[in-house]
Coordinates of all heavy atoms in Angstrom, one line a residue:
L186 N 86.6 -5.3 -1.9 CA 87.5 -6.5 -1.8 C 88.4 -6.6 -3.0 O 88.2 -6.0 -4.0 CB 86.5 -7.7 -1.9 CG 85.4 -7.8 -0.8 CD1 84.6 -9.0 -1.0 CD2 86.1 -7.8 0.6
N187 N 89.5 -7.3 -2.9 CA 90.4 -7.5 -4.0 C 89.8 -8.4 -5.1 O 89.0 -9.3 -4.8 CB 91.7 -8.1 -3.5 CG 92.8 -7.2 -3.2 OD1 92.7 -6.0 -3.6 ND2 93.7 -7.6 -2.4
R188 N 90.2 -8.2 -6.3 CA 89.9 -9.2 -7.4 C 90.8 -10.3 -7.4 O 92.1 -10.2 -7.1 CB 90.1 -8.5 -8.7 CG 89.2 -7.2 -9.0 CD 89.3 -6.8 -10.5 NE 90.6 -7.0 -11.1 CZ 90.8 -7.4 -12.2 NH1 89.9 -7.7 -13.0 NH2 92.1 -7.4 -12.7
P189 N 90.4 -11.6 -7.5 CA 91.2 -12.7 -7.5 C 92.3 -12.7 -8.5 O 93.4 -13.2 -8.4 CB 90.3 -13.9 -7.6 CG 89.0 -13.3 -8.2 CD 88.9 -11.9 -7.6
E190 N 92.0 -12.1 -9.7 CA 93.0 -12.0 -10.7 C 94.2 -11.2 -10.4 O 95.3 -11.4 -10.7 CB 92.3 -11.3 -12.0 CG 91.2 -12.1 -12.6 CD 89.9 -11.9 -11.9 OE1 89.8 -11.1 -10.9 OE2 88.9 -12.5 -12.4
D191 N 94.0 -10.2 -9.5 CA 95.1 -9.4 -9.0 C 95.9 -10.1 -8.0 O 97.2 -10.0 -8.0 CB 94.6 -8.1 -8.4 CG 93.9 -7.2 -9.4 OD1 94.2 -7.2 -10.6 OD2 93.1 -6.3 -9.0
V192 N 95.3 -10.9 -7.2 CA 96.0 -11.7 -6.2 C 96.7 -12.8 -6.9 O 97.9 -13.1 -6.5 CB 95.0 -12.2 -5.1 CG1 95.8 -13.1 -4.1 CG2 94.3 -11.1 -4.4
A193 N 96.1 -13.4 -7.9 CA 96.9 -14.4 -8.7 C 98.2 -14.0 -9.2 O 99.1 -14.7 -9.2 CB 96.0 -14.9 -9.8
R194 N 98.3 -12.7 -9.6 CA 99.6 -12.1 -10.0 C 100.6 -12.3 -9.0 O 101.8 -12.4 -9.3 CB 99.4 -10.6 -10.5 CG 98.4 -10.5 -11.8 CD 98.2 -9.1 -12.1 NE 99.4 -8.3 -12.3 CZ 99.4 -7.0 -12.5 NH1 98.2 -6.3 -12.3 NH2 100.4 -6.4 -12.7
T195 N 100.2 -12.0 -7.8 CA 101.3 -12.1 -6.7 C 101.8 -13.5 -6.5 O 102.9 -13.8 -6.1 CB 100.7 -11.5 -5.3 OG1 99.7 -12.3 -4.8 CG2 100.1 -10.1 -5.5
V196 N 100.9 -14.5 -6.7 CA 101.2 -15.9 -6.6 C 102.3 -16.2 -7.7 O 103.3 -16.8 -7.4 CB 100.0 -16.9 -6.7 CG1 100.4 -18.3 -6.8 CG2 99.0 -16.6 -5.6
L197 N 102.0 -15.8 -8.8 CA 103.0 -16.0 -10.0 C 104.4 -15.3 -9.7 O 105.4 -15.8 -10.0 CB 102.3 -15.6 -11.3 CG 101.8 -16.7 -12.1 CD1 100.6 -17.4 -11.4 CD2 101.4 -16.3 -13.5
F198 N 104.2 -14.1 -9.1 CA 105.5 -13.3 -8.7 C 106.3 -14.2 -7.7 O 107.5 -14.3 -7.9 CB 105.1 -12.0 -8.1 CG 106.2 -11.2 -7.6 CD1 107.2 -10.7 -8.5 CD2 106.4 -11.0 -6.3 CE1 108.3 -10.0 -8.1 CE2 107.5 -10.3 -5.9 CZ 108.5 -9.7 -6.7
A199 N 105.7 -14.8 -6.7 CA 106.3 -15.6 -5.8 C 107.0 -16.8 -6.4 O 108.2 -17.2 -6.1 CB 105.5 -16.0 -4.6
L200 N 106.2 -17.4 -7.3 CA 106.7 -18.6 -7.9 C 107.9 -18.4 -9.0 O 108.6 -19.3 -9.2 CB 105.6 -19.3 -8.7 CG 104.5 -20.0 -7.9 CD1 103.2 -20.2 -8.7 CD2 105.0 -21.3 -7.2
A201 N 108.0 -17.1 -9.4 CA 109.0 -16.7 -10.5 C 110.3 -16.4 -9.8 O 111.2 -15.9 -10.7 CB 108.4 -15.7 -11.4
Q202 N 110.5 -16.4 -8.6 CA 111.7 -15.9 -8.0 C 112.9 -16.8 -8.4 O 112.7 -18.1 -8.5 CB 111.6 -15.8 -6.5 CG 110.6 -14.7 -6.0 CD 110.9 -13.4 -6.6 OE1 112.0 -12.9 -6.4 NE2 109.9 -12.9 -7.3
P203 N 114.1 -16.3 -8.5 CA 115.3 -17.2 -8.9 C 115.7 -18.0 -7.7 O 115.3 -17.8 -6.6 CB 116.3 -16.1 -9.2 CG 116.0 -14.9 -8.5 CD 114.4 -14.9 -8.5
P204 N 116.3 -19.1 -8.0 CA 116.8 -20.0 -6.9 C 117.6 -19.3 -5.9 O 118.4 -18.4 -6.2 CB 117.7 -21.0 -7.7 CG 117.1 -21.0 -9.1 CD 116.7 -19.6 -9.5
G205 N 117.4 -19.6 -4.7 CA 118.0 -18.9 -3.6 C 117.5 -17.7 -3.1 O 117.9 -17.1 -2.1
C206 N 116.5 -17.1 -3.8 CA 115.7 -15.9 -3.4 C 114.4 -16.3 -3.0 O 113.7 -16.8 -3.7 CB 115.7 -14.9 -4.6 SG 114.9 -13.4 -4.2
E207 N 114.1 -15.9 -1.8 CA 112.8 -16.3 -1.2 C 111.9 -15.1 -0.8 O 112.3 -14.2 -0.2 CB 113.1 -17.2 0.1 CG 113.8 -18.4 -0.2 CD 113.2 -19.5 -1.1 OE1 111.9 -19.4 -1.2 OE2 113.9 -20.1 -1.7
I208 N 110.7 -15.2 -1.2 CA 109.6 -14.4 -0.7 C 108.9 -15.2 0.4 O 108.1 -16.1 0.0 CB 108.6 -13.9 -1.6 CG1 109.3 -13.0 -2.8 CG2 107.5 -13.1 -1.1 CD1 108.5 -12.6 -3.9
R209 N 109.2 -15.0 1.7 CA 108.8 -16.0 2.7 C 107.3 -15.8 2.9 O 106.5 -16.8 3.1 CB 109.5 -15.7 4.0 CG 110.9 -16.2 3.9 CD 111.1 -17.7 3.7 NE 112.4 -18.2 3.9 CZ 112.7 -19.3 3.3 NH1 111.9 -20.1 2.5 NH2 113.9 -19.8 3.4
E210 N 106.8 -14.6 3.0 CA 105.4 -14.3 3.3 C 104.8 -13.0 2.5 O 105.6 -12.1 2.4 CB 105.2 -14.1 4.8 CG 105.7 -15.3 5.6 CD 105.3 -15.2 7.1 OE1 104.6 -14.3 7.6 OE2 105.9 -16.1 7.8
L211 N 103.6 -13.1 2.0 CA 103.0 -12.1 1.3 C 101.6 -11.9 1.9 O 100.8 -12.8 2.0 CB 102.8 -12.5 -0.2 CG 103.9 -12.4 -1.2 CD1 103.5 -13.0 -2.5 CD2 104.2 -10.8 -1.4
V212 N 101.4 -10.6 2.3 CA 100.1 -10.2 2.9 C 99.5 -9.3 1.7 O 100.1 -8.4 1.3 CB 100.1 -9.5 4.1 CG1 98.7 -9.0 4.6 CG2 100.8 -10.2 5.2
V213 N 98.4 -9.8 1.1 CA 97.8 -9.1 -0.1 C 96.3 -8.8 0.3 O 95.5 -9.7 0.3 CB 97.9 -9.9 -1.4 CG1 97.3 -9.2 -2.6 CG2 99.3 -10.4 -1.6
T214 N 96.0 -7.5 0.4 CA 94.7 -7.1 0.7 C 94.2 -5.9 -0.1 O 95.1 -5.2 -0.6 CB 94.5 -6.7 2.2 OG1 95.2 -5.4 2.4 CG2 95.2 -7.8 3.2
S215 N 93.0 -5.6 0.0 CA 92.4 -4.4 -0.5 C 93.1 -3.2 0.3 O 93.3 -3.4 1.5 CB 91.0 -4.4 -0.5 OG 90.5 -3.0 -0.5
S216 N 93.2 -2.1 -0.3 CA 93.6 -0.9 0.5 C 92.7 -0.6 1.7 O 93.1 0.0 2.7 CB 93.7 0.4 -0.4 OG 94.6 0.2 -1.4
W217 N 91.5 -1.1 1.6 CA 90.5 -0.7 2.6 C 90.2 -2.0 3.5 O 89.2 -2.0 4.2 CB 89.2 -0.2 2.0 CG 89.3 1.1 1.2 CD1 89.2 2.3 1.7 CD2 89.8 1.1 -0.2 NE1 89.4 3.2 0.7 CE2 89.8 2.5 -0.5 CE3 90.0 0.2 -1.2 CZ2 90.1 3.1 -1.7 CZ3 90.3 0.7 -2.5 CH2 90.4 2.1 -2.7
E218 N 91.0 -3.0 3.4 CA 90.8 -4.2 4.2 C 90.7 -3.9 5.7 O 91.5 -3.2 6.3 CB 91.9 -5.2 3.9 CG 91.9 -6.4 4.7 CD 90.7 -7.3 4.3 OE1 90.6 -7.6 3.2 OE2 90.0 -7.7 5.2

Side-chain angles (χ1 to χ4, degrees):
L186 308 176
N187 267 341
R188 300 190 321 142
E190 296 84 359
D191 294 336
V192 181
R194 292 172 62 188
T195 70
V196 175
L197 264 62
F198 177 67
L200 290 165
Q202 296 307 300
C206 180
E207 301 296 336
I208 298 176
R209 289 300 189 200
E210 301 186 8
L211 277 170
V212 179
V213 184
T214 73
S215 160
S216 298
W217 298 269
E218 177 67 52

